[in-house]
């Protein structure tokens, strides 16, 4: 629900031949209010779309033949698999979308009945044009409750609302990637230096998006959002507490971000899709300037859509049309709960992977210290692989001449998809299927390599280590160094080399926080954080500290993100453009 911007001066953004969306600019006063055109979800944008689903069930995993993903087919997904995996397991979560604010996914979903939505504004009366809504009152009050006589309008859905979700921080107004996905589907290309109105004229973009979702057959019945006339407006001037809204906004984002939306991940459009030939390897990490916030941090830092070809933009629009059409094959899903599988995979491998990374940071100057590392990582990798491991291959696999390594890695990497037949999947699901298999196979292979090394140095169950071989401390340290490098490369490839929490349990009056637009704890930097490195240039250590999760209380935040800042960096701090 960002502040309204001046009327647009730019011309129509549509090419009827390429977008299929009407070129006529529609005045806001002549349109019926499309309540679902855009909903501001903390840091994302939502549009409406129809829902479709199907379900299958198969109870057996490793009995008989299991269809293994063809290597030739899956190879085209290898370079983008970690990006797709990182995107999906981060859907509707605050931190992943703050670390990767330039979203690359568009997903169909629903908002359930009895979901409360808020809209604050200074002018009296309900909204009279396509506009933004928030899931949290704290967000609406944080934007409009700090000044003037604000009116808080409260709505509750009375039936399911069908939506399209854009990941990243698609509601953040910058020219540095946060709007790339919207601009690409509306304009057909993404300019490096967009015109002012293309970024900041939200009224026009709302109309453009409403035209697009109308083309997709969107449910635009306003009866789904009745207004609550009994809610009192928050105080503005004269209220000594209005600026605390920023801290409460940040707190509310940590409560329940995303739990009000059910995504239908099988109906997903991804700009990482290898079928977008013009984007292949061209949008991975193109940093523009020293904008440490908007470029994000970590695996998908600085990913842009600057090189998208008009033909690829047209293809993306056709995919959107397909997932929106109930009669389309792309809207017919297998019933696999993909987001749950991605989240389980992330949880199952991620926590232990980070523990391994932490163990490898132990001192290894002496033989005893080196062996302590070997023993501990043996324990961890055995715990990961135990459900799939047979020291002697038995059963049906014994007739295939599989080695314990081959059997274990296959079982570990295929456990989530062994019952899934690629021929039953739609195009979106194939992207998920191959990306997931590539990621799990990479992780399971790495885990096996560590496990096998440690077996040789500990239990020696396979009896391939000479008991009389003298211990060579230097050789052990070299082995540790080699597997430290393998671990670092693997965790970096999947994006698990970063923090996932604060370094201590936060107290009851604290929040574990990272930079989250536009309420950011950034002492000495311009308010809003989105401009944290413009003009100040941060050193690598300062950027590291900027992104590190921290326990902060209200006083800390006021000093670093609100009322207690030095005068130069207090509100208002609107950047020049």
């Amino acid at each position: 629900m960002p502040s309204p911007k001046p009327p647009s001066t730019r011309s129509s953004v549509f090419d009827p031949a390429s977008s299929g969306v009407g070129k006529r600019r529609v005045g806001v006063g002549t349109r019926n209010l499309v309540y679902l055109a855009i909903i501001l979800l903390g840091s994302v944008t939502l549009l409406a779309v129809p829902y479709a689903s199907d379900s299958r069930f198969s109870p057996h995993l490793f009995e008989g033949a299991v269809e293994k993903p063809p290597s030739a087919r899956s190879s085209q997904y290898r370079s983008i698999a970690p990006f797709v995996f990182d995107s999906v397991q981060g859907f509707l979560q605050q931190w992943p979308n703050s670390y990767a604010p330039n979203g690359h996914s568009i997903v169909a979903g629903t908002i359930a009945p009895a979901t409360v939505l808020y809209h604050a504004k200074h002018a009296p009366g309900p909204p009279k044009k396509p506009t933004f809504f928030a899931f949290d009152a704290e967000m609406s009050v944080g934007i409009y409750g700090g000044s003037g006589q604000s009116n808080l309008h409260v709505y509750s859905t009375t039936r399911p609302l069908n939506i399209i979700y854009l990941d990243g921080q698609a509601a953040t107004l910058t020219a540095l990637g946060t709007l790339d996905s919207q601009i690409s589907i509306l304009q057909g290309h993404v300019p490096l230096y967009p015109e002012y109105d293309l970024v900041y004229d939200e009224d026009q973009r709302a109309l453009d998006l409403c035209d697009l979702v109308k083309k997709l057959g969107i449910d635009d019945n306003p009866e789904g959002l009745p207004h609550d006339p009994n809610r009192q407006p928050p105080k503005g001037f004269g209220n000594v507490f209005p600026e605390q809204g920023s801290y409460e906004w940040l707190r509310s984002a940590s409560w329940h971000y995303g739990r009000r939306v059910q995504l239908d991940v099988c109906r997903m459009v991804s700009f990482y899709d290898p079928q977008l030939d013009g984007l292949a390897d061209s949008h991975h990490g193109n940093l523009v300037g020293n904008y440490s916030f908007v470029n994000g941090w970590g695996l998908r830092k600085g990913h842009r859509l600057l090189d998208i070809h008009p033909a690829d933009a047209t293809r993306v629009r056709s995919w959107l049309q397909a997932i929106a059409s109930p009669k389309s094959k792309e809207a017919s899903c297998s019933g696999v709960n993909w987001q749950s599988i991605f989240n389980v995979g992330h949880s199952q491998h991620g926590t232990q992977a980070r523990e391994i990374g932490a163990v490898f940071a132990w001192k290894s100057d002496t033989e005893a210290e080196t062996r302590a590392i070997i023993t501990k990582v043996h324990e961890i990798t055995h715990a990961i692989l135990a459900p799939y491991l047979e020291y002697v291959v038995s059963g049906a696999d014994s007739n295939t001449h599989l080695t314990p390594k081959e059997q274990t890695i296959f079982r570990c990497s295929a456990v989530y998809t062994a019952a899934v037949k690629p021929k039953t999947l739609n195009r979106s699901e194939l992207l998920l299927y191959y990306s997931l298999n590539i990621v799990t196979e990479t992780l399971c292979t790495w885990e096996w390599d560590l496990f096998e090394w440690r077996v040789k140095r500990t239990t020696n169950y396979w009896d391939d280590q000479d008991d009389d071989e003298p211990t060579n401390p230097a050789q052990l340290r070299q082995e540790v160094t080699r597997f430290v490098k393998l671990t670092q490369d693997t965790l970096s490839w999947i994006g698990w080399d970063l923090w996932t929490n604060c370094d201590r349990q936060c107290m009851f009056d604290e929040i574990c926080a990272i930079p989250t637009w536009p309420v950011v704890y950034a002492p000495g930097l311009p308010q809003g954080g989105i401009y944290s490195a413009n003009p100040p240039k941060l050193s690598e250590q300062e950027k590291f500290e900027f992104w590190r999760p921290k326990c902060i209380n209200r006083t800390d935040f006021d000093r670093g993100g609100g009322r207690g800042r030095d005068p130069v960096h207090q509100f208002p701090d609107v950047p020049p453009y």
Side-chain angles (χ1 to χ4, degrees):
M1 192 183 308
S3 303
K5 296 294 183 283
S8 172
T9 58
R10 66 184 169 95
S11 60
S12 170
V13 299
F14 295 104
D15 177 358
S18 61
S19 69
V21 182
K23 185 174 181 179
R24 179 175 62 89
R25 175 178 176 135
V26 183
V28 297
T30 63
R31 290 286 296 271
N32 292 329
L33 175 59
V34 181
Y35 285 92
L36 307 184
I38 307 177
I39 299 177
L40 187 62
L41 177 61
S43 304
V44 298
T45 304
L46 302 174
L47 307 178
V49 71
Y51 176 89
S53 181
D54 189 15
S55 62
R56 308 273 193 273
F57 177 72
S58 178
H60 303 293
L61 283 181
F62 299 116
E63 280 191 19
V66 175
E67 186 169 349
K68 187 175 183 180
S71 58
R73 171 70 171 169
S74 61
S75 61
Q76 62 180 304
Y77 295 93
R78 187 159 299 278
S79 65
I80 55 90
F83 304 140
V84 174
F85 187 88
D86 188 64
S87 298
V88 174
Q89 65 85 27
F91 284 162
L92 298 172
Q93 298 179 55
Q94 185 68 59
W95 282 25
N97 289 288
S98 294
Y99 281 135
N102 299 344
H104 275 47
S105 304
I106 308 173
V107 191
T110 57
I111 298 175
T115 299
V116 180
L117 301 172
Y118 301 89
H119 178 78
K121 58 197 290 284
H122 287 156
K128 295 181 174 60
K129 59 185 178 182
T131 190
F132 294 87
F133 293 85
F135 283 113
D136 298 316
E138 290 81 3
M139 182 176 186
S140 293
V141 173
I143 293 176
Y144 274 97
S147 63
Q149 185 67 25
S150 303
N151 294 276
L152 180 65
H153 299 274
V154 183
Y155 298 82
S156 178
T157 59
T158 58
R159 55 180 174 77
L161 303 182
N162 301 315
I163 58 93
I164 286 182
Y165 162 78
L166 287 80
D167 72 337
Q169 294 191 346
T172 301
L173 304 183
T174 78
L176 299 167
T178 55
L179 298 174
D180 279 5
S181 57
Q182 294 176 73
I183 292 175
S184 67
I185 60 176
L186 294 174
Q187 304 289 322
H189 71 285
V190 179
L192 177 59
Y193 300 107
E195 296 179 0
Y196 180 92
D197 283 352
L198 190 60
V199 175
Y200 292 106
D201 188 353
E202 295 182 280
D203 289 344
Q204 181 60 43
R205 183 161 51 252
L207 293 171
D208 295 345
L209 289 169
C210 286
D211 281 339
L212 175 64
V213 297
K214 183 177 181 180
K215 168 69 176 179
L216 296 176
I218 296 308
D219 172 5
D220 60 356
N221 184 353
E223 295 304 317
L225 289 174
H227 180 227
D228 176 4
N230 300 316
R231 191 59 58 102
Q232 296 297 314
K235 292 183 178 180
F237 289 119
N239 181 358
V240 297
F241 300 112
E243 286 185 339
Q244 75 173 344
S246 293
Y247 182 80
E248 294 304 324
W249 180 357
L250 188 63
R251 190 209 299 267
S252 71
S254 68
W255 291 340
H256 44 206
Y257 181 79
R259 295 180 185 175
R260 280 71 57 91
V261 178
Q262 179 63 49
L263 293 182
D264 198 1
V265 179
C266 66
R267 295 161 59 207
M268 178 186 77
V269 172
S270 174
F271 288 96
Y272 292 121
D273 196 306
Q275 293 186 40
L276 300 177
D277 299 330
L279 279 176
D281 298 323
S282 66
H283 57 157
H284 303 164
N286 293 333
L287 303 182
V288 180
N290 186 40
Y291 297 92
S292 66
F293 182 81
V294 286
N295 280 320
W297 183 271
L299 179 66
R300 294 187 289 136
K301 178 180 181 179
H303 286 202
R304 298 293 309 273
L305 298 178
L306 295 173
D307 296 316
I308 190 169
H309 294 176
D312 284 338
T314 299
R315 178 173 293 181
V316 169
R317 284 193 292 266
S318 71
W319 290 343
L320 288 176
Q321 183 73 59
I323 67 172
S325 173
K327 297 181 180 180
S328 169
K329 179 182 177 182
E330 294 304 311
S332 178
C333 300
S334 65
V336 175
N337 188 338
W338 291 104
Q339 187 166 17
S340 175
I341 291 177
F342 275 66
N343 291 342
V344 169
H346 178 269
S347 299
Q348 185 175 38
H349 291 276
T351 54
Q352 291 158 317
R354 290 187 175 94
E355 184 179 2
I356 292 173
V359 170
F360 272 131
W362 293 359
K363 290 180 61 177
S364 59
D365 298 332
T366 68
E367 182 179 348
E369 291 171 340
T370 303
R371 290 197 176 278
I373 292 174
I374 294 173
T375 300
K376 177 56 67 176
V377 179
H378 180 207
E379 294 174 358
I380 300 170
T381 53
H382 182 271
I384 299 171
L385 298 176
Y388 322 108
L389 172 64
E390 289 184 51
Y391 285 96
V392 178
V393 175
S394 63
D397 288 339
S398 63
N399 298 322
T400 62
H401 305 290
L402 287 176
T403 65
K405 174 180 180 178
E406 293 169 335
Q407 181 192 59
T408 303
I409 292 175
F410 173 68
R411 287 180 170 182
C412 174
S413 58
V415 65
Y416 303 119
T417 57
V420 178
K421 304 298 182 183
K423 293 180 180 178
T424 68
L425 305 179
N426 64 29
R427 189 196 56 79
S428 299
E429 291 182 294
L430 282 173
L431 175 64
L432 299 169
Y433 174 82
Y434 287 114
S435 297
L436 178 63
N437 276 297
I438 289 168
V439 167
T440 53
E441 183 179 15
T442 301
L443 291 172
C444 294
T445 301
W446 163 68
E447 290 156 355
W448 173 269
D449 290 342
L450 296 179
F451 172 75
E452 185 178 44
W453 166 58
R454 282 152 183 78
V455 167
K456 293 179 179 180
R457 290 299 185 184
T458 53
T459 60
N460 196 24
Y461 281 130
W462 286 298
D463 198 27
D464 54 1
Q465 183 75 24
D466 189 348
D467 293 336
D468 297 326
E469 180 180 335
T471 300
N472 185 333
Q475 180 181 350
L476 286 180
R477 286 195 294 271
Q478 289 177 355
E479 292 177 3
V480 169
T481 300
R482 177 163 59 90
F483 284 103
V484 165
K485 178 64 164 56
L486 175 63
T487 298
Q488 290 173 340
D489 291 345
T490 303
L491 296 185
S492 176
W493 179 81
I494 194 63
W496 289 352
D497 53 341
L498 297 174
W499 323 272
T500 58
N501 215 326
C502 289
D503 55 8
R504 64 176 176 85
Q505 180 67 42
C506 297
M507 302 297 289
F508 68 91
D509 62 341
E510 295 177 319
I511 304 171
C512 183
I514 62 170
T516 303
W517 179 89
V519 285
V520 179
Y521 175 74
L525 299 173
Q527 171 62 35
I530 196 76
Y531 309 99
S532 62
N534 182 22
K537 185 175 182 179
L538 304 183
S539 67
E540 287 302 314
Q541 181 58 38
E542 287 172 329
K543 283 191 285 187
F544 183 92
E545 179 63 21
F546 177 74
W547 281 104
R548 182 179 64 82
K550 310 171 189 67
C551 293
I552 60 172
N553 57 30
R554 191 184 304 278
T555 301
D556 292 333
F557 182 82
D558 283 349
R559 292 192 183 117
R563 295 167 290 182
R565 284 174 174 267
D566 58 276
V568 175
H569 295 126
Q570 286 182 349
F571 281 116
D573 188 15
V574 179
Y577 183 86

